[in-house]
Amino acid sequence: MHHIEQVYINGEFVSPHGTERFDLYNPATACVIGQVRLADAVDGERAIAAARAAFPAWSKTTKQVRIAALQRMHAAVAARHDDLLEAVVEEYGAPASRSAWMASYPAEVIAQAIAALEAFEFTTVAGAARVEMTPLGVAGLITPWNSDAGFICGKLAAALAAGCTAVIKPSEMSALQTQIVTEALHAADLPPGVFNIVTGRGDTVGETISRHPHVAKISFTGSTRTGKAILRNAAENFTRVTLELGGKSPTLILDDADIKQAIPLAVQAGLMNSGQACVAGTRILVPQSRKAEFEQALALAVAAVASGDPRDAKTVVGPMVSERQWQRVQGYIQKGLAEGARLLAGGVGRPEGTRDGWFVRPTLFTDVHNQMAIARDEIFGPVLCVIAYRDEAEAIAIANDTDYGLSALVLGGDSGRARRVAQQIQAGRVLVNTLTHEPKAPFGGFKHSGVGREMGAWGISAFMEPKSILS
Ligand code: NAD
């Protein structure tokens, strides 16, 4: 059993004022594997005060001092790779393909921030003005459970690069990953108060951060619903926000696509991270003229996806993170059937050969129209919809007929045409015939998928305000 009893404030592990114990589960067994003592609003206030006290000195540090600090963070987080790997399998159920990435990404994203900081111009000239990029102040960093360690490191590295200090409120469900990252960051020997980590509930610690007049910036990754609540709270103090929210991304297969190349990419895009990915391509748009052919190939591919024990090397889809998430996925599969969609693979219940854990059957529906709940709502599980379109214009219209706009994938034989289609899709990131991730590019969403961008110079600028000086 894991017992996590302390939070991290002002450079020290301390017992929180909060006394609530929150159970941690292994989603592959549905068994309790530990408990975390949660911070409360008082701890949130203390962490903000520590970050505020550390801001004047940190904001005046040179680029070289910040790069050196980020390099120490990078080395310390990289050294905990194996511990992170075990934690993401144990508390999260990440299968091999995902867990390897989740264990290495936290250090990688710090390295990306170092490269961005090295190239960052803090002072530029605009006409007669000298424009100085100025750090905003204390940053509140709020992360979700689906890649907790990576989001902590990415947001913190960008905030510190900009000269901000930080209060981090990680997801209460990812306390093992948070503990490992906190120990690593402590070992990086940054000045006390520059970063503080208080694991607690969203409606206590999260609300304290998003309403606080001494927090100048919120960087949040999580659901669109919580993002709206944070935006409302932030309005009171004009707190700047970056919001990375949900998605219902389209995979648009053009009529000239090579089926052998398109199907593996479409299935991988839809089922990444066991379907629990903000960028998952869960709406697969196929040409009416080739509908039967794509249905058959997709059905075979989804039915062949191994869902079960994350420690089995063959597993592609691991368990859902919680019983609540499992119930939500079951509910949407039932809703799809009730709405008249036709099941091509999967369905309700657990996959054969699994028991106890929160395992789901990778599921594929067809005869879906874009107004059905399964085509509109972010399910956050391995449930894919096939939607047929008549022509390219209708395909683009369906792709854009969503509240979200985080990511999209276009698959087609003529790459020039596929790129022209990509340009017409309203999403922060559109991939054409590839699933490659480019960490140097800005990341974020259109519409209800968020506000602002992370990564690269965009990510650092998000923690700053330009100041024009004329003399
Ligand atoms: P969530 O919104 O429930 O929680 C995210 C974080 O917000 C947690 O730390 C939670 O405790 C906190 N929180 C909850 N209520 C709060 C409040 N009122 N004020 C402040 N903080 C509060 O999201 P989740 O279930 O942890 O994560 C899944 C969601 O995250 C999905 O919708 C997914 O699409 C989204 N997500 C988006 C991205 C992206 O980059 N766009 C990446 C990963 C996940």
Side-chain angles (χ1 to χ4, degrees):
M1 287 284 279
H2 301 271
H3 291 282
I4 297 169
E5 283 290 316
Q6 295 183 308
V7 293
Y8 189 80
I9 298 176
N10 205 30
E12 287 180 327
F13 286 93
V14 293
S15 294
H17 177 269
T19 52
E20 181 187 351
R21 261 67 175 193
F22 182 85
D23 285 337
L24 303 170
Y25 288 88
N26 178 340
T29 60
C31 290
V32 174
I33 52 165
Q35 276 194 331
V36 53
R37 179 168 164 184
L38 296 181
D40 64 8
V42 173
D43 299 303
E45 292 275 356
R46 284 180 184 158
I48 293 165
R52 190 169 182 234
F55 177 70
W58 184 257
S59 62
K60 293 187 188 73
T61 50
T62 61
K63 194 191 245 197
Q64 287 66 34
V65 167
R66 292 180 204 167
I67 289 172
L70 291 174
Q71 283 168 339
R72 295 197 303 279
M73 284 165 54
H74 175 263
V77 172
R80 300 297 299 272
H81 172 277
D82 294 356
D83 298 327
L84 275 173
L85 186 68
E86 180 54 28
V88 297
V89 178
E90 193 182 2
E91 78 177 346
Y92 179 81
S97 56
R98 182 73 183 181
S99 57
W101 180 81
M102 286 177 82
S104 56
Y105 183 70
E108 265 169 38
V109 77
I110 298 173
Q112 290 298 333
I114 294 170
L117 176 56
E118 278 166 347
F120 195 83
E121 300 287 354
F122 282 85
T123 304
T124 51
V125 171
R130 189 181 139 93
V131 181
E132 290 182 0
M133 292 301 286
T134 312
L136 283 164
V138 174
L141 313 178
I142 305 178
T143 63
W145 49 263
N146 78 332
S147 188
D148 184 64
F151 288 124
I152 290 175
C153 290
K155 288 180 191 296
L156 180 60
L160 297 184
C164 289
T165 55
V167 174
I168 304 165
K169 196 222 77 72
S171 170
E172 53 276 42
M173 290 161 71
S174 318
L176 299 188
Q177 288 171 69
T178 298
Q179 180 69 11
I180 294 163
V181 167
T182 310
E183 288 167 7
L185 295 174
H186 176 65
D189 201 22
L190 269 63
V194 162
F195 73 94
N196 305 271
I197 303 185
V198 278
T199 299
R201 289 192 183 273
D203 56 6
T204 54
V205 183
E207 286 274 334
T208 302
I209 293 171
S210 63
R211 287 178 186 280
H212 207 288
H214 295 159
V215 173
K217 165 82 189 184
I218 303 277
S219 178
F220 168 78
T221 298
S223 63
T224 293
R225 195 163 142 255
T226 306
K228 272 188 196 173
I230 288 174
L231 197 52
R232 280 191 210 101
N233 291 345
E236 203 52 46
N237 296 304
F238 288 94
T239 307
R240 273 52 178 163
V241 294
T242 298
L243 305 173
E244 298 287 357
L245 310 177
K248 190 75 190 177
S249 299
T251 291
L252 201 170
I253 305 181
L254 292 169
D255 56 10
D256 63 351
D258 174 343
I259 196 161
K260 284 201 187 65
Q261 284 170 8
I263 298 301
L265 289 176
V267 171
Q268 215 186 317
L271 299 183
M272 66 171 70
N273 198 21
S274 309
Q276 302 174 120
C278 52
V279 291
T282 47
R283 292 184 297 143
I284 303 174
L285 278 47
V286 302
Q288 183 68 45
S289 57
R290 296 179 67 189
K291 182 175 176 240
E293 185 191 350
F294 279 115
E295 279 178 347
Q296 194 185 17
L298 285 165
L300 281 173
V302 173
V305 167
S307 172
D309 182 1
R311 292 188 192 275
D312 184 333
K314 291 194 295 297
T315 297
V316 173
V317 169
M320 299 295 94
V321 74
S322 63
E323 184 171 11
R324 198 164 135 229
Q325 193 66 22
W326 188 85
Q327 296 286 5
R328 181 180 164 84
V329 172
Q330 300 304 314
Y332 270 105
I333 297 174
Q334 274 154 355
K335 200 176 269 186
L337 294 169
E339 283 178 315
R342 180 161 58 88
L343 209 49
L344 287 177
V348 290
R350 288 181 161 76
E352 247 176 70
T354 63
R355 32 185 289 247
D356 303 335
W358 297 311
F359 299 104
V360 292
R361 300 172 68 195
T363 294
L364 178 71
F365 281 111
T366 191
D367 296 341
V368 177
H369 65 73
N370 205 41
Q371 302 313 313
M372 290 181 180
I374 54 169
R376 299 211 78 77
D377 299 353
E378 184 187 52
I379 300 173
F380 228 52
V383 181
L384 311 181
C385 302
V386 176
I387 303 172
Y389 64 84
R390 282 187 304 268
D391 54 28
E392 195 179 290
E394 191 182 45
I396 294 165
I398 296 171
N400 288 332
D401 177 17
T402 168
D403 287 341
Y404 296 106
L406 189 59
S407 186
L409 172 63
V410 180
L411 301 170
D414 173 348
S415 52
R417 176 190 175 204
R419 269 198 300 278
R420 282 194 299 279
V421 169
Q423 284 168 333
Q424 296 172 72
I425 296 182
Q426 296 159 347
R429 185 184 78 165
V430 189
L431 305 171
V432 178
N433 291 330
T434 182
L435 292 182
T436 312
H437 178 58
E438 176 47 77
K440 290 188 172 58
F443 183 82
F446 282 40
K447 302 189 276 184
H448 294 203
S449 287
V451 175
R453 295 292 180 269
E454 294 191 292
M455 304 308 291
W458 298 270
I460 297 176
S461 301
F463 289 94
M464 308 184 94
E465 202 77 91
K467 185 195 288 178
S468 300
I469 298 179
L470 285 135
S471 58

